[in-house]
Amino acid sequence: MKRSILIHPDHRLKKVCAPVTDLSDELRQLADDMLETMYDAPGIGLAAPQIGVLDRLIVMDCVKEEGEEPRPLVMFNPEIIASSDETNVYEEGCLSIPEQFAEVTRPKVVEVAWIDCDGNAQQETFDDLWATCVQHEIDHLNGKLFIDYLKPLKRQMITRKMQKLKREKARA
């Protein structure tokens, strides 16, 4: 089931999410809903707070090549356990900040540990776009948005655009 994506500014996007302590069928369904919502948007990542759920859960799939098999990942309690000194700059966007993009510098390679849908501990090293995406989504779980990396003036400009967008949507 597709969910509604919260648009910044929304206080729920600034909250630190609670760890998932018990994998329930409801949480697995939530992960499925998030994947459906992300693919439909379309996006490459989505964090639970973006749909108003304050649990440490993210989904992502950075496969964008036509004809390549999708690789949906569901991560409960994802945690970066190592990151490279080498950095990458990507133009980031966010489903909660539609049509706004900015360059963000992050570690090029990160090692992430998480729990999968079956409750198994997983660990993987991600680089390039996958690394940027997983860091972006984990930031959401800590109440941080990509615009928080920007200079105050640019951040305020984007926030004002989002406030205007929300007013227009409310009138529609």
Side-chain angles (χ1 to χ4, degrees):
M1 178 181 79
K2 263 183 28 203
R3 306 281 189 115
S4 295
I5 297 173
L6 301 179
I7 303 295
H8 165 75
D10 185 300
H11 68 280
R12 290 168 289 186
L13 294 172
K14 301 306 278 175
K15 296 253 190 279
V16 174
C17 297
V20 173
T21 52
D22 187 27
L23 275 186
S24 61
D25 287 340
E26 287 83 11
L27 280 170
R28 286 186 192 87
Q29 184 58 55
L30 174 65
D32 287 345
D33 291 355
M34 286 172 59
L35 281 167
E36 185 181 335
T37 303
M38 175 192 80
Y39 285 127
D40 181 72
I44 59 169
L46 187 68
Q50 291 180 271
I51 57 166
V53 177
L54 298 179
D55 285 328
R56 296 189 80 79
L57 165 61
I58 65 172
V59 299
M60 56 187 246
D61 183 351
C62 298
V63 174
K64 297 200 322 205
E65 299 306 311
E66 200 59 48
E68 251 189 78
E69 276 301 300
R71 182 170 178 237
L73 283 178
V74 173
M75 299 182 173
F76 292 96
N77 302 331
E79 194 182 345
I80 295 168
I81 51 178
S83 50
S84 66
D85 292 333
E86 188 183 352
T87 58
N88 245 356
V89 177
Y90 267 101
E91 187 177 66
E92 291 188 29
C94 179
L95 296 176
S96 292
I97 310 173
E99 292 169 34
Q100 301 299 313
F101 301 91
E103 290 192 339
V104 178
T105 304
R106 298 182 185 267
K108 180 182 181 340
V109 180
V110 290
E111 194 170 333
V112 181
W114 73 93
I115 306 295
D116 69 16
C117 284
D118 299 319
N120 299 316
Q122 300 289 338
Q123 196 167 314
E124 190 173 329
T125 301
F126 297 99
D127 65 359
D128 298 322
L129 180 60
W130 286 87
T132 294
C133 183
V134 75
Q135 292 173 82
H136 175 115
E137 299 310 330
I138 289 172
D139 274 354
H140 275 298
L141 304 181
N142 298 318
K144 188 167 186 167
L145 301 171
F146 86 92
I147 58 171
D148 295 333
Y149 291 94
L150 308 179
K151 291 190 168 68
L153 196 63
K154 177 128 172 104
R155 188 168 58 236
Q156 287 162 353
M157 200 177 77
I158 290 174
T159 298
R160 278 199 293 275
K161 283 182 183 168
M162 291 302 102
Q163 288 166 325
K164 183 176 178 228
L165 176 73
K166 285 172 85 163
R167 282 194 302 273
E168 287 167 359
K169 279 188 167 180
R171 278 194 216 107

